Amino acid sequence: MTEEEKIRLNEIIFCKLFQQLLRQHVNPIKVYDLIIAVAAVVGANTAVLDTVISSILDNDRHYMPTKEEYAYLLRKSDVPVRRVCQLVHLSNSTYYKMDGTERYITRRFTEAQYQEMMKVLRFFKTSYEDMEGSTV
Protein backbone atom coordinates (compact mmCIF):
# COMPACT_ATOMS: atom_id res chain seq x y z
CA MET A 1 0.00 0.00 0.00
CA THR A 2 1.42 3.38 -0.98
CA GLU A 3 1.55 6.36 1.35
CA GLU A 4 -1.14 8.16 -0.68
CA GLU A 5 -3.43 5.15 -0.32
CA LYS A 6 -2.86 5.04 3.45
CA ILE A 7 -3.68 8.73 3.71
CA ARG A 8 -6.85 8.30 1.65
CA LEU A 9 -7.92 5.30 3.75
CA ASN A 10 -7.56 7.40 6.91
CA GLU A 11 -9.62 10.16 5.29
CA ILE A 12 -12.32 7.63 4.45
CA ILE A 13 -12.28 6.24 7.99
CA PHE A 14 -12.81 9.76 9.35
CA CYS A 15 -15.74 10.29 6.96
CA LYS A 16 -17.23 6.93 7.97
CA LEU A 17 -16.81 7.76 11.68
CA PHE A 18 -18.68 11.02 11.23
CA GLN A 19 -21.41 9.35 9.16
CA GLN A 20 -21.80 6.62 11.82
CA LEU A 21 -22.22 9.25 14.51
CA LEU A 22 -24.84 10.97 12.34
CA ARG A 23 -26.75 7.69 11.98
CA GLN A 24 -26.72 7.12 15.75
CA HIS A 25 -27.86 10.62 16.65
CA VAL A 26 -30.70 12.43 14.94
CA ASN A 27 -29.39 15.94 15.55
CA PRO A 28 -26.35 16.79 13.38
CA ILE A 29 -25.58 19.82 15.57
CA LYS A 30 -24.91 17.51 18.53
CA VAL A 31 -22.57 15.37 16.42
CA TYR A 32 -20.80 18.50 15.21
CA ASP A 33 -20.46 19.71 18.79
CA LEU A 34 -19.05 16.33 19.85
CA ILE A 35 -16.35 16.45 17.17
CA ILE A 36 -15.49 20.06 18.05
CA ALA A 37 -15.31 19.12 21.75
CA VAL A 38 -12.96 16.24 20.94
CA ALA A 39 -10.90 18.64 18.81
CA ALA A 40 -10.61 20.98 21.78
CA VAL A 41 -9.47 18.10 24.00
CA VAL A 42 -6.75 16.97 21.59
CA GLY A 43 -5.68 20.49 20.63
CA ALA A 44 -6.85 20.34 17.03
CA ASN A 45 -7.54 23.47 15.03
CA THR A 46 -11.33 23.73 15.01
CA ALA A 47 -11.40 26.19 12.10
CA VAL A 48 -9.61 23.71 9.84
CA LEU A 49 -11.66 20.80 11.14
CA ASP A 50 -14.83 22.80 10.49
CA THR A 51 -14.10 22.80 6.76
CA VAL A 52 -13.78 19.00 6.81
CA ILE A 53 -17.02 18.55 8.73
CA SER A 54 -18.84 20.94 6.41
CA SER A 55 -17.72 18.91 3.39
CA ILE A 56 -19.00 15.71 4.98
CA LEU A 57 -22.31 17.28 6.04
CA ASP A 58 -22.78 18.66 2.53
CA ASN A 59 -22.08 15.15 1.19
CA ASP A 60 -19.59 16.69 -1.25
CA ARG A 61 -18.80 13.95 -3.79
CA HIS A 62 -15.27 15.26 -4.29
CA TYR A 63 -14.40 14.25 -0.72
CA MET A 64 -16.77 11.38 0.01
CA PRO A 65 -15.60 7.87 -0.85
CA THR A 66 -17.26 5.46 -3.22
CA LYS A 67 -17.90 1.86 -2.20
CA GLU A 68 -15.44 0.67 -4.81
CA GLU A 69 -12.68 2.96 -3.55
CA TYR A 70 -13.27 1.95 0.07
CA ALA A 71 -13.36 -1.77 -0.77
CA TYR A 72 -10.21 -1.46 -2.90
CA LEU A 73 -8.26 0.23 -0.11
CA LEU A 74 -9.45 -2.26 2.49
CA ARG A 75 -8.45 -5.11 0.19
CA LYS A 76 -4.99 -3.58 -0.25
CA SER A 77 -4.60 -3.27 3.52
CA ASP A 78 -5.18 -7.03 3.89
CA VAL A 79 -8.55 -6.81 5.63
CA PRO A 80 -10.37 -10.18 5.44
CA VAL A 81 -13.11 -10.54 2.83
CA ARG A 82 -15.94 -10.93 5.35
CA ARG A 83 -14.89 -7.78 7.21
CA VAL A 84 -14.62 -5.78 3.96
CA CYS A 85 -18.12 -6.90 2.96
CA GLN A 86 -19.44 -5.96 6.39
CA LEU A 87 -17.79 -2.51 6.42
CA VAL A 88 -18.64 -1.59 2.83
CA HIS A 89 -22.06 -3.28 2.83
CA LEU A 90 -21.31 -5.57 -0.09
CA SER A 91 -22.26 -9.15 -0.74
CA ASN A 92 -19.48 -11.68 -1.20
CA SER A 93 -20.38 -12.13 -4.84
CA THR A 94 -20.19 -8.38 -5.46
CA TYR A 95 -16.82 -8.27 -3.71
CA TYR A 96 -15.44 -10.99 -5.95
CA LYS A 97 -16.95 -9.41 -9.07
CA MET A 98 -14.97 -6.24 -8.43
CA ASP A 99 -11.94 -6.37 -10.64
CA GLY A 100 -8.55 -6.38 -9.00
CA THR A 101 -7.05 -3.81 -11.35
CA GLU A 102 -4.89 -1.09 -9.89
CA ARG A 103 -6.60 2.22 -9.24
CA TYR A 104 -5.12 5.65 -8.95
CA ILE A 105 -5.88 6.80 -5.39
CA THR A 106 -4.96 10.22 -4.12
CA ARG A 107 -5.77 12.29 -1.08
CA ARG A 108 -8.75 14.62 -1.26
CA PHE A 109 -8.16 16.84 1.76
CA THR A 110 -5.24 19.22 2.30
CA GLU A 111 -2.31 18.32 4.52
CA ALA A 112 -3.56 20.67 7.28
CA GLN A 113 -7.02 19.10 7.19
CA TYR A 114 -5.51 15.62 7.25
CA GLN A 115 -3.39 16.40 10.31
CA GLU A 116 -6.43 17.66 12.24
CA MET A 117 -8.50 14.62 11.21
CA MET A 118 -5.74 12.31 12.44
CA LYS A 119 -5.72 13.99 15.86
CA VAL A 120 -9.43 13.22 16.24
CA LEU A 121 -9.05 9.67 14.89
CA ARG A 122 -6.20 8.94 17.32
CA PHE A 123 -8.38 10.14 20.20
CA PHE A 124 -11.23 7.82 19.23
CA LYS A 125 -8.83 4.91 18.67
CA THR A 126 -7.15 5.25 22.06
CA SER A 127 -10.48 5.81 23.81
CA TYR A 128 -11.89 2.66 22.23
CA GLU A 129 -8.84 0.62 23.22
CA ASP A 130 -9.10 1.89 26.81
CA MET A 131 -12.77 0.87 27.01
CA GLU A 132 -12.41 -2.58 25.46
CA GLY A 133 -12.34 -4.41 28.79
CA SER A 134 -15.31 -2.49 30.14
CA THR A 135 -18.39 -4.33 31.38
CA VAL A 136 -20.80 -1.51 30.54
Side-chain angles (χ1 to χ4, degrees):
M1 199 171 197
T2 67
E3 192 62 32
E4 283 289 313
E5 291 171 339
K6 289 178 186 176
I7 289 171
R8 181 62 184 149
L9 183 58
N10 286 329
E11 292 175 353
I12 292 171
I13 290 169
F14 183 85
C15 292
K16 294 295 183 182
L17 169 71
F18 195 80
Q19 288 174 332
Q20 179 63 32
L21 290 171
L22 285 172
R23 277 192 295 277
Q24 290 175 343
H25 304 284
V26 178
N27 191 345
I29 300 300
K30 289 183 180 183
V31 175
Y32 174 82
D33 289 343
L34 171 69
I35 297 293
I36 295 302
V38 168
V41 168
V42 297
N45 185 338
T46 56
V48 172
L49 203 53
D50 185 49
T51 60
V52 174
I53 294 170
S54 295
S55 298
I56 296 170
L57 280 174
D58 292 342
N59 209 15
D60 189 343
R61 290 293 163 205
H62 176 70
Y63 298 103
M64 300 307 290
T66 62
K67 281 186 174 189
E68 293 79 15
E69 179 184 33
Y70 190 29
Y72 172 77
L73 290 172
L74 289 173
R75 175 185 274 178
K76 286 214 50 172
S77 61
D78 297 327
V79 175
V81 174
R82 282 185 161 195
R83 185 69 180 142
V84 171
C85 292
Q86 182 184 30
L87 289 171
V88 184
H89 305 290
L90 294 174
S91 67
N92 284 352
S93 60
T94 304
Y95 175 85
Y96 287 113
K97 283 180 188 175
M98 298 173 83
D99 60 350
T101 60
E102 287 291 315
R103 296 173 188 253
Y104 177 71
I105 303 291
T106 185
R107 68 174 45 194
R108 305 283 174 87
F109 294 97
T110 66
E111 181 63 30
Q113 290 172 324
Y114 178 73
Q115 293 303 323
E116 303 310 312
M117 289 184 332
M118 288 307 296
K119 289 177 184 177
V120 172
L121 281 178
R122 284 187 196 105
F123 173 81
F124 277 105
K125 184 177 186 293
T126 57
S127 297
Y128 176 77
E129 289 172 353
D130 292 342
M131 293 185 305
E132 262 186 53
S134 175
T135 59
V136 176

